[in-house]
Amino acid sequence: MPRRIAKALLLLLPLSAHADPVSFSREVMPLLSDNCLSCHGQDAAHRKADLRLDTEEGAREVLKSGDFIDRIVTTDPEELMPPPKSHKPALKPDQVAMLKRWIAEGAKWGKHWSLEKPVKAKVKGHPVDFFVKARLAKEGLTLSPKAPPHTLLRRLSFDLTGLPPTSESQSIDSLLASPHFGERMAMIWLDAARYSDTDGFQSDASRTNWPWRDYVVESFNANKPFDQFTLEQFAGDLLPNATPEQKLATCFHRNHMTNGEGGRDKEESRIDYVLDRVNTMGTVWLGLTLGCTQCHSHKFDPISQHDYYALNAFFNSIDEDGAAGSKATPYLSYQSPHAKRAVEESQKLVDARKPVEAKAKADAAKPFEQWLAEKQTAVKSGFQAWHIIHGSVESQEGTKLAQSKDGIVIATGPNPKQDDYRLVSTSIKLPRLTGLKLEILPQNGALSRGKDGEFILTDIKVQVRRKGSSQIRDILVKYAVADTKTEAKAREYGDVKGTLDDDPRNGWTTKGFPKDQPHTALYGLAEPLELESDEELIFELRQRSTNGDANIAAFRVSATDQPGPAVRELGPAPLEQLAAGKTERDRLLSQFLEDHTPYQLAKASLDRANAQLKEVQSAAGKLNVMVLAERKEPRDTHVLVRGVWDKKGDVVQRDVPAAIAPWPAGLARDRIGLAKWITSKENPLTARVFVNQVWQMLFGAGLVRTPDDFGLQGQRPTHPELLDWLAVDFMENGWDVKRLIKLIVTSDTYQQSSEHTSPADPQNLLLSRGPRFRLPAWMIRDAALASSGLLNPALGGPPVRPHQPEGVWEEIFMGRFTYEPSQGAAQHRRTLYAFWRRSIAPTFLFDSAQRRVCEVAMTRTNTPLQALTLLNDETIAEASRSLAKRMLAAKAEDRLPLLYQAVLTRQPTAKELAVVQRELDRALAHYRAHPEDARKLQTTPDLAAHTLVATLVLNLDEAITHE
């Protein structure tokens, strides 16, 4: 033995006689990971001095040198480890002492704790309490008292169903048996699966993967064993005699974003999808940051770059080519059994609104006759619907524009490939604007200045600007009709409606029609526009086609204040016909009704119901759901050099990291085998990771507080023996999810009061109190609907669109997508079913996952915007109004107790009752004295006051907190 090592061991030997043996996996390995492995780990490209401390052989070579401890404790900055330039602090004395003890004890090697198989220790009593109480006792602490019955009932109900309790008699078993259990579990699974109803990226096109969401709900409700749940989502398509639902399950691995942007190489996208599947698998099932090995071997965990691409090989032969949108094959043609209910629900809504619209139309007959008589008198001397707009003209790219007295604007001078023309006017004398007419006029037998004489108008803009101001207000244009009609496909030129979507890849052209004749387009505004005296109107013609060389040669713009047919139909306006002695009552009635508010309200309501019915009828048919399916000829899988998609290195075969668990004997190396390897009892990670996710769901934080990282850089479990016991028990009992949850929630640990926090355990790491945290936003919304009696409890079916502020989608997508809130009972479905657009998640979910990549950690934030949402969101307002109606239906003395019971599952204290009664009295006094304020809310003074108090209680800390 070298003299220096012998000397060191002689000095250290006495230390080991006074302490338990050092645990390599829980003490030494984390220390090496934090301080040494970034330079002395398995990543050869970044390894310094060719020294390794991530393997037993490498570490023993370092220890043989005899200066391991000397380099750690030296004061020489040139010799110190970790070096100062690494910006890592020097080791603390207790850490150095621990390393000395470890060496003195023989430097016993091992694995990182999460890569060692979990062991089920012997326990007495409830296993959760056994380990928690033992840990608390070491700190001189005990469990807190049991939570009050109503608090515990609310805690259980929210944790197991995501909803407040419906009765005081609910039990753990009844909550687990509730169909809402599956919905609650699905919400966290959808976050992990990066589920969305759209593709993401710039186009963010819609997809129809929602039947998979219902598969998840049904699987949790049926208590499908987690290993079977895993198998179906990895390889349902490969199972013998696979059912449609088993094939549907594989949509888990197709929920990633798809990129259809122009110029993107589809193969690069396809490889990105494969990488995403492996990274998601690593997070959800293994709790490892596998994505760190895309470019090089992991700096800390024993996963090499070859390991990573060997896992990629399992997903590299899916029959896909990287396309997005409607071409993102493979698809499963699937008809959901849950869509029929949505159709019936929407049909009932249409049937209920039809008579209302019919009555409103009938009620309009008498005022119509009065209006018609007035108009017949008014137009005797003639009538002109359209008025030419004069103003200043300009171009973006240098075309010279000039307007003549007849309003015609002629283009001359430079002829750029693309250009925008603008007509700016302050001379419009109409009381309002309802629409604009654009005439494209030929010049020398051509409509454009291009070689072929054909114009392409990609978009138009109607804007308002106050004189002297640079701020521009966009005016929404809802209708477009032209004297030419072509059946243009998406991203083709032809249909005039293409000028309303801000997409230069489509627009209006009259190619194929005479170009020596004028052509006309009418644009109807969504709402009549009244210009103030200091405002100017801007009409912009955008000519940004990908073809180019199609700028308009001459045009003229006119405006009208006539509604209805005048801006939606070419030809004479109804009043122009009336002035000419031709009375078309249907067109005249249509124009009258356009300005008749009672009818418009009823018609708009029916139109929305009909649009929803049409949408769900489409969803009730066969849908294309993105799934997995193997291609006939498997692809070769390569290590990608530095992770670059087209830099191919070594060919690798399907395999798994040996450091985790061996491949099960006798299994084919396909996705079935991969799923069984993941849920093998030899795999030390999967059960631990899922148990930790369930613990996080119930306690607000996992036993491992980095749920996405069980590797060397993740946090150690607060109660490692408990985590191992639950993981082994979970596997031994058939991966039974409901049994696991019941075991945890029946513990004294779970049922503790959360009222007091021990100074010795401020973050509740020791579990000295019950869990207390703010409910997620989706649960707050669902609870408000349930408490108010508005909740539609239906399971499954097409996505719905809850209320959100107007214009959010329109602003982000420049009008390409319009958000229309769902109507009727569909509006009050659970948030699980909300339509999820990746570019802008539902706006009321202020703490949600973004669903762009896999996320398993719980996000909690606190901003004033959240308080504004809970006080002003339309859903909360509806829930408050519904609660107020229930209160007013009760006796006066029962109203506030009813409110407290509905929202907080308890009766108010005398002090609370006095405070809330005071606020109610103040609100009643205000609204009775100012009934116009109540009318603004479309309520009576009493209803407005009770609504205000209901909102107050819905916003109480107790109402939005997991106590």
Side-chain angles (χ1 to χ4, degrees), residues 141-276:
L141 300 173
T142 60
L143 293 175
S144 295
K146 190 171 183 177
H150 78 273
T151 300
L152 185 55
L153 179 59
R154 280 177 62 81
R155 184 187 299 173
L156 283 164
S157 188
F158 277 120
D159 281 345
L160 303 190
T161 68
L163 295 169
T166 56
S167 73
E168 296 181 2
S169 62
Q170 283 183 297
S171 65
I172 293 172
D173 287 336
S174 68
L175 291 169
L176 288 171
S178 166
H180 299 306
F181 168 78
E183 293 176 319
R184 193 269 178 272
M185 297 297 295
M187 200 65 184
I188 59 173
W189 197 253
L190 265 58
D191 285 348
R194 67 270 192 254
Y195 169 84
S196 175
D197 295 298
T198 65
D199 289 347
F201 295 103
Q202 183 178 357
S203 62
D204 209 15
S206 297
R207 53 173 59 165
T208 52
N209 287 356
W210 58 263
W212 173 82
R213 173 246 291 150
D214 295 344
Y215 158 84
V216 174
V217 174
E218 292 168 351
S219 295
F220 279 117
N221 276 336
N223 201 26
K224 184 175 290 182
F226 186 72
D227 57 346
Q228 179 67 21
F229 186 54
T230 297
L231 175 62
E232 291 177 357
Q233 290 180 97
F234 270 77
D237 59 308
L238 301 180
L239 296 175
N241 303 313
T243 66
E245 285 68 32
Q246 289 174 324
K247 295 176 182 178
L248 174 67
T250 64
C251 181
F252 177 95
H253 285 295
R254 298 294 310 284
N255 278 322
H256 51 74
M257 297 198 295
T258 53
N259 192 341
E261 294 178 1
R264 173 84 172 180
D265 192 302
K266 290 199 296 184
E267 178 64 7
E268 181 179 4
S269 294
R270 187 193 70 79
I271 290 174
D272 282 349
Y273 306 159
V274 175
L275 298 177
D276 179 273

